[in-house]
């Protein structure tokens, strides 16, 4: 569209003013001709859509040029396969990376529309659960920012995980409806539609030369339809693509059934297909749930591989160069079936010999392991795979035979070692180990923190590491500073820029210059003032959402994560109960005022996690209404934790709780986000906490508790936790209060079994780490009561966070795993 001409004898406007003027016209055009609304009657959601469409238009040209450039240069492409992409709201991210934030704000102001209100109105894309999905989103943004040609592949969930609401303190799961009014960021690509098969049988087919090949004849097909979202890098230099697959039926309605009166049955195939992409992580406690999960994983893996192979053949004409031009990264075990599916495509469809196909497959795939927890290292019943994916199961058997022969004849493995490396778990009902499949089918297997990587070598993959000793490597996770500092904390970003200059915006390592200002009293006051603005905003959110009034002058002590026993929200709330008791017994002590802020979702079938949420809300009800604590302690559980809520909580946090059982958190990324925003960490030597300690120093973190080795030793010796409880009067009193119904008078036995588990086995070391945790919290109190010391530590945390940028992580992947040149900032 034509921009308003500049009058030559008038003062030439600043670039921002020019851009605001152009955007004003563009937003108005979108509102009128795309949304179909007169600005006089337009509602906020109309302005939101119009603004997104106007910003999106600024992205399209560079998106297309990024794709053209990759085709022209024949550069290697990276494909990131992940069942989750927790991308959050995209408008602010895109505006910030394009440098349009203030211009859009000015343009909307001319219409008497507030940009902040529109940003808050945009729905969160419900495409993930927690750290796994958020990491994938950070990685995609970093790949765009450092100019790596990349696609993200995932599922376009209609409802995502779930929307968490609270009913009398209990978690209630409701469907997330982020797509109810469409998604203005996405483009449907009808030409990129693929058939994905399930079931059926495998038939030998005679070739003209007399040889025999195997052909899979599925009994069921669904269509995978692509929807593309542009992912903008910093300064808009490159725009990559997030391609999400939506499952649709081949025949949307069976007309013969409909016309015969079976109106519901006529839609059965449609419902069955659409169920694949309806919900993230359907409960797998039933056979039907397990089958649906496997369908999801194969559906998006097969569609993605068909798309990758089609694109490669279109550009290069043959598959011999696949591993030279394509790098596929598996984000955890969910897409591990891709190993067998790519082998099927190469051998059955493109006629490749087994040895050549296996070499290409291993050269193409990399596998990122995110957990040592058995339930997350997926396994599937052999019978289910044989029924649902018969050809892929044949290939898995053949891969296994090759691996076991290599282990026996080449490495001289014992029977026990053979059983450990086998892709088939023969203990009890036979199951396929997807972690093992991903390992043997990839040239690189990486952990996500130094500790996690070493534990991989020693535990779950010990024998595979012995068989293939060069494959395991470490790539410590990172987060994108654009979203998790610059966008969510503009006040702190401006303060840093004013003090050390804007160089850190493009070269994040320049943030280290902030260290020399950590002891400056004036800068500490400015840093505290920026923090207080964020705390006031969060205090208002807490009041609006849960009706609890909290003081921004108190320490905001934050524990926001997926609810799981190993993440030890239980330890935190038990210590809160002990602190509450001590505050009532000793009101004369100088207690640091605290607001304990919890948020996170529990898996629908994880009863203990849901019970922990209920315990937090029960404890909150008692403490928040007890005048004896004089408002010095408040407890808050904020429902429906998502990316947008995290972007409000993290900049306001004073203390970051990273207290997982040592050896069980692969890395964590929340810890890095809190660090960037000037929160102190109280934590165990687990995951990336270890590397944070190396970067910022022991004087600037509060570390406590058992090490991973000590945890393993206590578990191996089946040590009874009773001694730890009996020797700690404070712990014993808190456990008795909880177990006897002090905080649940309506159901005194509600927590008896949960607390009983601490006496019986204490698998997650809650009781045995309690005294160390309580002592660490008292150290935190002392630090809070010394503001000069506190803010010096807080500033140093921010100053030393640059190593935890996902840009650094992606550079390491590119150079050490993918073999992709890095040319970006």
């Amino acid at each position: 569209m034509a921009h308003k001409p500049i009058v030559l004898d008038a003062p030439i406007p600043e670039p921002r003013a020019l851009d605001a003027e152009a955007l004003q016209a563009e937003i108005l055009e979108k509102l009128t001709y795309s949304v179909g609304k007169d600005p006089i009657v337009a509602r906020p959601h109309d302005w939101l859509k119009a603004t997104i469409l106007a910003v999106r238009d600024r992205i399209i040209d560079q998106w297309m040029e990024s794709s053209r450039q990759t085709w022209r240069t024949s550069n290697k492409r990276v494909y990131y396969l992940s069942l989750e992409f927790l991308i959050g709201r995209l408008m602010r991210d895109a505006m910030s990376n394009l440098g349009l934030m203030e211009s859009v704000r000015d343009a909307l102001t001319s219409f008497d529309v507030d940009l902040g209100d529109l940003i808050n109105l945009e729905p969160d894309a419900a495409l993930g659960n927690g750290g796994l999905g958020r990491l994938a989103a950070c990685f995609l943004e970093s790949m765009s920012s450092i100019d790596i040609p990349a696609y993200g592949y995932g599922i376009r969930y209609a409802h995502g995980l779930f929307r968490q609401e609270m009913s009398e303190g209990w978690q209630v799961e409701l469907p997330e409806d982020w797509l109810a009014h469409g998604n203005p960021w996405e483009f449907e690509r009808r030409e990129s539609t693929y058939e994905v098969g399930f079931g059926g049988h495998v038939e030998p087919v005679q070739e003209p030369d007399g040889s025999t090949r195997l052909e899979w004849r599925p009994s069921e097909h669904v269509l995978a339809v692509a929807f593309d979202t542009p992912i903008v890098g910093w300064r808009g230099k490159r725009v990559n693509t997030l391609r999400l697959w939506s499952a649709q039926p081949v025949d949307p309605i069976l007309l013969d059934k409909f016309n015969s009166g079976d109106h519901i049955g006529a839609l059965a195939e449609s419902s069955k297909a659409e169920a694949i992409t309806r919900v993230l992580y359907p409960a797998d406690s039933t056979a039907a749930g397990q089958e649906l999960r496997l369908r999801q994983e194969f559906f998006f893996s097969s569609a993605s591989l068909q798309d990758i192979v089609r694109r490669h053949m279109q550009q290069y004409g043959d598959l011999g160069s696949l591993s030279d031009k394509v790098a596929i990264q598996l984000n955890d075990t969910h897409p591990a079936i891709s190993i067998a599916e790519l082998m099927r495509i190469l051998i059955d469809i493109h006629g490749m010999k087994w040895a050549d196909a296996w070499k290409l497959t291993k050269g193409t795939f990399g596998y990122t392991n995110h957990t040592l927890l058995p339930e997350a290292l997926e396994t599937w019943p052999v019978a289910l795979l044989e029924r649902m994916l018969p050809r892929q199961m044949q290939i898995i058997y053949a891969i296994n035979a090759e691996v076991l022969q290599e282990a026996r004849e080449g490495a001289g493995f014992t029977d026990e070692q053979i059983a450990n490396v086998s892709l088939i778990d023969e203990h009890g009902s036979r199951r396929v180990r997807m972690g093992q499949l991903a390992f043997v089918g990839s040239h690189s297997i990486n952990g996500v923190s130094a500790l996690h990587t070493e534990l991989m070598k020693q535990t779950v993959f010990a024998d595979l590491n012995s068989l293939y000793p060069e494959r395991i490597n470490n790539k410590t996770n990172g987060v994108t500073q654009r979203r998790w500092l610059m966008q969510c904390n503009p006040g702190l970003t401006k303060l840093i820029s004013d003090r050390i200059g804007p160089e850190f915006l493009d070269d994040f390592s320049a943030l280290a210059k902030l260290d020399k200002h950590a002891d400056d009293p004036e800068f500490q006051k400015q840093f505290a003032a920026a923090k207080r603005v964020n705390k006031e905003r969060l205090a208002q959110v807490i009041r609006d959402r849960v009706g609890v009034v909290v003081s921004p002058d108190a320490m905001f002590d934050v524990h926001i994560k997926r609810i799981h026993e190993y993440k030890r929200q239980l330890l935190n709330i038990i210590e809160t109960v002990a602190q509450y008791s001590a505050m009532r017994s000793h009101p004369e002590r100088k207690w640091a005022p605290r607001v304990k802020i919890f948020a996170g979702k529990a898996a629908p079938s994880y009863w203990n996690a849901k019970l922990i949420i209920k315990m937090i809300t029960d404890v909150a009800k008692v403490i928040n209404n007890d005048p004896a604590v004089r408002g010095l302690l408040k407890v808050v559980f904020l429902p429906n934790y998502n990316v947008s809520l995290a972007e409000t909580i993290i900049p306001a946090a004073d203390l970051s709780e990273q207290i997982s059982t040592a050896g069980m958190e692969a890395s964590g990324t929340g810890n890095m986000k809190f660090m960037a925003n000037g929160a102190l960490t109280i934590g165990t030597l687990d995951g990336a906490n270890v590397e944070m300690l190396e970067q910022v120093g022991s004087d600037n973190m509060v570390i406590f508790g058992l090490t991973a080795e000590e945890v393993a030793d206590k578990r191996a010796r089946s040590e009874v936790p009773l001694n730890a409880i009996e020797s700690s009067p404070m712990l014993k009193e808190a456990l008795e209060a909880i177990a006897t119904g002090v905080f649940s008078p309506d159901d005194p036995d509600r927590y008896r079994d949960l607390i009983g588990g601490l006496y019986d086995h204490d698998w997650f070391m809650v009781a045995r780490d309690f005294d160390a945790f309580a002592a660490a919290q008292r150290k935190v109190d002392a630090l809070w009561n010394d503001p000069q010391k506190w803010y010096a530590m807080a500033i140093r945390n921010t100053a030393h966070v640059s190593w935890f940028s996902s840009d650094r992580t992606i550079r390491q992947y590119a150079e050490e795993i993918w073999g992709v040149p890095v040319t970006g900032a």
Side-chain angles (χ1 to χ4, degrees):
M1 69 180 290
H3 293 170
K4 185 176 179 180
I6 299 172
V7 181
L8 293 179
D9 58 355
I12 297 176
E14 292 295 317
R16 170 176 162 182
L18 281 173
D19 218 20
E21 190 174 324
L23 281 162
Q24 182 181 343
E26 291 163 19
I27 292 169
L28 185 59
E29 182 190 39
K30 293 298 180 186
L31 182 72
T32 305
Y33 297 109
S34 297
V35 182
K37 279 291 183 76
D38 188 313
I40 297 172
V41 297
R43 307 295 294 171
H45 62 265
D46 299 318
W47 287 108
L48 171 66
K49 185 173 182 180
T51 304
I52 288 174
L53 293 175
V55 171
R56 194 184 73 172
D57 281 359
R58 299 291 184 103
I59 297 170
I60 300 301
D61 287 341
Q62 189 55 39
W63 195 15
M64 292 180 176
E65 176 54 30
S66 295
S67 180
R68 290 191 204 105
Q69 181 191 37
T70 306
W71 280 86
R72 282 196 306 266
T73 60
S74 297
N75 284 340
K76 191 173 189 177
R77 293 181 176 92
V78 173
Y79 297 102
Y80 198 81
L81 271 61
S82 180
L83 203 61
E84 297 184 38
F85 283 97
L86 200 55
I87 54 177
R89 294 165 172 163
L90 290 178
M91 184 169 75
R92 185 179 64 183
D93 196 52
M95 290 188 300
S96 177
N97 279 357
L98 291 171
L100 292 177
M101 187 77 79
E102 296 310 317
S103 297
V104 172
R105 191 186 309 277
D106 292 347
L108 288 170
T109 299
S110 68
F111 299 115
D112 199 25
V113 175
D114 181 73
L115 175 60
D117 291 342
L118 296 192
I119 289 172
N120 292 332
L121 191 62
E122 184 180 9
D124 265 53
L127 299 171
N129 176 28
L132 184 81
R134 188 51 237 170
L135 181 81
C138 284
F139 278 7
L140 275 190
E141 195 267 1
S142 280
M143 283 187 262
S144 293
S145 293
I146 63 175
D147 203 18
I148 293 175
Y151 273 75
Y153 280 111
I155 291 179
R156 183 179 179 264
Y157 301 103
H159 298 295
L161 186 64
F162 58 84
R163 186 174 80 255
Q164 181 193 56
E165 292 193 3
M166 307 301 292
S167 176
E168 298 182 344
W170 292 100
Q171 171 180 291
V172 177
E173 301 95 29
L174 298 172
E176 185 64 76
D177 58 353
W178 74 286
L179 283 174
H181 304 293
N183 176 13
W185 288 107
E186 69 183 9
F187 295 82
E188 182 179 0
R189 305 298 193 195
R190 282 179 288 176
E191 72 280 5
S192 296
T193 297
Y194 301 94
E195 282 198 2
V196 177
F198 298 98
H201 62 281
V202 179
E203 275 194 16
V205 177
Q206 287 290 123
E207 295 287 80
D209 63 0
S211 62
T212 301
R213 67 178 177 86
L214 296 174
E215 185 175 290
W216 180 30
R217 304 277 176 85
S219 58
E220 177 189 348
H221 293 88
V222 298
L223 298 179
V225 181
F227 288 80
D228 287 357
T229 298
I231 303 296
V232 187
W234 179 238
R235 307 290 190 194
K237 182 176 182 181
R238 169 171 284 280
V239 182
N240 282 325
T241 301
L242 172 60
R243 174 159 287 185
L244 301 175
W245 300 106
S246 180
Q248 297 179 13
V250 175
D251 296 310
I253 185 171
L254 301 178
L255 277 176
D256 55 341
K257 284 193 174 185
F258 193 88
N259 291 330
S260 68
D262 187 4
H263 304 141
I264 303 300
L267 300 173
E269 291 302 308
S270 179
S271 297
K272 189 174 183 180
E274 291 169 0
I276 294 173
T277 55
R278 195 165 293 284
V279 175
L280 169 66
Y281 298 141
D284 59 357
S285 53
T286 65
Q290 289 181 25
E291 181 177 319
L292 180 55
R293 279 213 191 186
L294 180 58
R295 281 173 174 268
Q296 283 187 332
E297 294 178 7
F298 180 72
F299 165 80
F300 103 93
S301 297
S302 178
S304 302
L305 291 172
Q306 290 182 63
D307 198 42
I308 292 167
V309 169
R310 185 269 311 161
R311 187 177 297 109
H312 183 85
M313 289 293 290
Q314 185 178 341
Q315 184 164 5
Y316 300 107
D318 74 85
L319 291 168
S321 61
L322 186 69
S323 59
D324 296 324
K325 296 298 182 181
V326 168
I328 303 175
Q329 193 68 29
L330 305 177
N331 192 28
D332 218 358
T333 56
H334 308 119
I337 193 66
S338 298
I339 304 291
E341 175 66 354
L342 182 58
M343 288 290 287
R344 183 191 70 84
I345 291 170
L346 295 178
I347 295 169
D348 296 0
I349 297 176
H350 293 276
M352 196 172 287
K353 299 297 184 184
W354 175 276
D356 295 333
W358 187 228
K359 182 180 179 181
L360 273 184
T361 295
K362 288 188 291 185
T364 301
F365 280 108
Y367 162 49
T368 301
N369 174 275
H370 283 280
T371 181
L372 307 176
L373 294 177
E375 65 266 26
L377 285 171
E378 288 184 313
T379 64
W380 295 112
V382 167
L384 176 62
L385 270 167
E386 288 178 331
R387 176 170 59 83
M388 294 299 302
L389 304 170
R391 178 59 179 139
Q392 290 77 6
M393 191 63 226
Q394 287 182 344
I395 291 169
I396 290 170
Y397 277 130
I399 293 171
N400 197 41
E402 188 166 306
V403 170
L404 296 189
Q405 184 176 9
E406 185 178 354
R408 177 73 79 187
E409 298 177 3
F413 272 26
T414 65
D415 288 347
E416 182 181 359
Q417 289 177 303
I418 291 287
N420 288 338
V421 301
S422 175
L423 306 192
I424 313 297
D425 184 355
E426 304 284 357
H427 300 92
S429 59
R430 301 172 72 235
R431 301 179 72 89
V432 179
R433 296 162 162 162
M434 304 309 285
Q436 253 85 340
L437 176 61
F439 192 112
V440 302
S442 301
H443 69 278
S444 166
I445 295 86
N446 71 279
V448 290
S449 73
L451 175 62
H452 169 241
T453 300
E454 287 307 307
L455 290 174
M456 279 172 55
K457 294 177 181 179
Q458 297 167 19
T459 58
V460 291
F461 295 135
D463 289 309
L464 279 169
N465 182 55
S466 177
L467 185 60
Y468 306 112
E470 303 301 320
R471 293 194 189 181
I472 293 182
N473 60 91
N474 179 55
K475 299 290 175 282
T476 298
N477 283 344
V479 300
T480 170
Q481 65 271 21
R482 267 84 54 182
R483 181 180 287 264
W484 294 107
L485 175 60
M486 300 174 195
Q487 294 167 30
C488 74
N489 203 341
L492 179 58
T493 302
K494 183 179 185 304
L495 176 63
I496 295 169
S497 185
D498 290 345
R499 178 57 64 126
I500 67 170
E503 180 188 357
F504 77 100
L505 299 175
D506 296 288
D507 177 8
F508 203 43
S509 64
L511 194 60
K513 295 177 183 177
L514 199 65
D515 185 279
K516 67 181 181 182
H517 302 282
D519 295 314
D520 180 345
E522 182 59 31
F523 187 65
Q524 288 181 359
K525 288 179 183 176
Q526 295 170 340
F527 195 92
K531 177 72 72 174
R532 185 183 171 88
V533 170
N534 296 326
K535 292 173 74 172
E536 288 172 350
R537 183 168 63 247
L538 177 56
Q540 188 61 51
V541 169
I542 292 170
R543 185 170 188 170
D544 291 345
R545 295 197 181 186
V546 296
V548 178
V549 177
V550 301
S551 170
D553 294 323
M555 180 202 311
F556 280 15
D557 176 353
V558 177
H559 198 165
I560 50 173
K561 295 176 179 293
R562 177 169 54 93
I563 309 297
H564 196 291
E565 286 168 282
Y566 89 83
K567 293 179 183 286
R568 298 205 296 190
Q569 288 91 351
L570 182 58
L571 172 62
N572 197 351
I573 197 63
I574 290 171
E575 196 280 330
T576 303
V577 169
Q579 184 184 1
Y580 166 62
S581 178
M583 292 175 82
R584 292 197 301 170
S585 300
H586 298 282
E588 76 286 357
R589 294 179 184 170
K590 189 178 181 182
W591 296 101
R594 287 198 195 219
V595 180
K596 305 280 291 190
I597 299 168
F598 295 87
K601 295 178 181 179
S605 58
Y606 191 173
W607 171 249
N608 276 2
K610 297 174 88 167
L611 197 58
I612 289 167
I613 292 176
K614 175 60 173 170
M615 184 188 296
I616 293 168
T617 61
D618 277 348
V619 170
K621 189 188 305 181
V622 172
I623 292 178
N624 295 347
N625 293 294
D626 188 343
V629 297
R630 297 162 294 152
L632 291 173
L633 181 62
K634 293 285 182 77
V635 180
V636 172
F637 184 89
L638 286 171
N640 204 38
Y641 179 55
N642 57 17
V643 174
S644 297
L645 184 55
E647 290 171 346
T648 300
I649 296 174
I650 290 171
D654 294 303
L655 185 67
S656 164
E657 300 272 356
Q658 306 297 330
I659 61 173
S660 53
T661 309
M664 299 197 72
E665 184 72 83
S667 170
T669 51
N671 46 6
M672 305 166 190
K673 297 163 192 170
F674 284 107
M675 184 183 182
N677 286 274
L680 303 194
T681 297
I682 181 171
T684 51
L685 285 173
D686 196 26
N689 289 357
V690 177
E691 285 134 301
M692 285 170 56
L693 188 66
E694 293 170 358
Q695 293 294 319
V696 77
S698 59
D699 290 342
N700 297 297
M701 289 177 72
V702 180
I703 297 296
F704 76 94
L706 299 169
T707 64
E709 294 80 5
E710 290 167 337
V711 169
D713 179 64
K714 288 181 180 297
R715 286 174 173 169
R717 291 190 288 110
S718 300
E719 183 185 273
V720 178
L722 184 60
N723 293 337
I725 297 171
E726 292 296 334
S727 64
S728 175
M730 185 166 53
L731 172 59
K732 186 177 181 181
E733 180 185 344
L735 294 181
E736 288 178 354
I738 296 169
T740 58
V742 169
F743 298 94
S744 54
D746 57 321
D747 183 4
D749 292 331
R750 180 176 295 147
Y751 305 113
R752 186 174 297 279
D753 291 342
L754 184 63
I755 298 302
L758 303 184
Y759 285 86
D760 294 339
H761 55 80
D762 190 28
W763 183 254
F764 299 100
M765 303 292 152
V766 170
R768 281 166 284 193
D769 261 349
F770 176 85
D771 281 351
F773 181 54
Q777 291 287 17
R778 301 295 73 79
K779 181 179 179 181
V780 169
D781 285 343
L783 289 170
W784 180 259
N785 288 327
D786 183 354
Q788 187 173 354
K789 175 69 172 172
W790 182 279
Y791 284 107
M793 293 171 68
I795 292 165
R796 287 196 170 93
N797 269 269
T798 299
H800 292 278
V801 78
S802 67
W803 192 80
F804 297 101
S805 167
S806 50
D807 294 356
R808 183 270 312 159
T809 312
I810 288 299
R811 284 191 180 94
Q812 290 182 339
Y813 274 93
E815 293 165 2
E816 300 169 21
I817 297 178
W818 302 331
V820 175
V822 178
T823 59

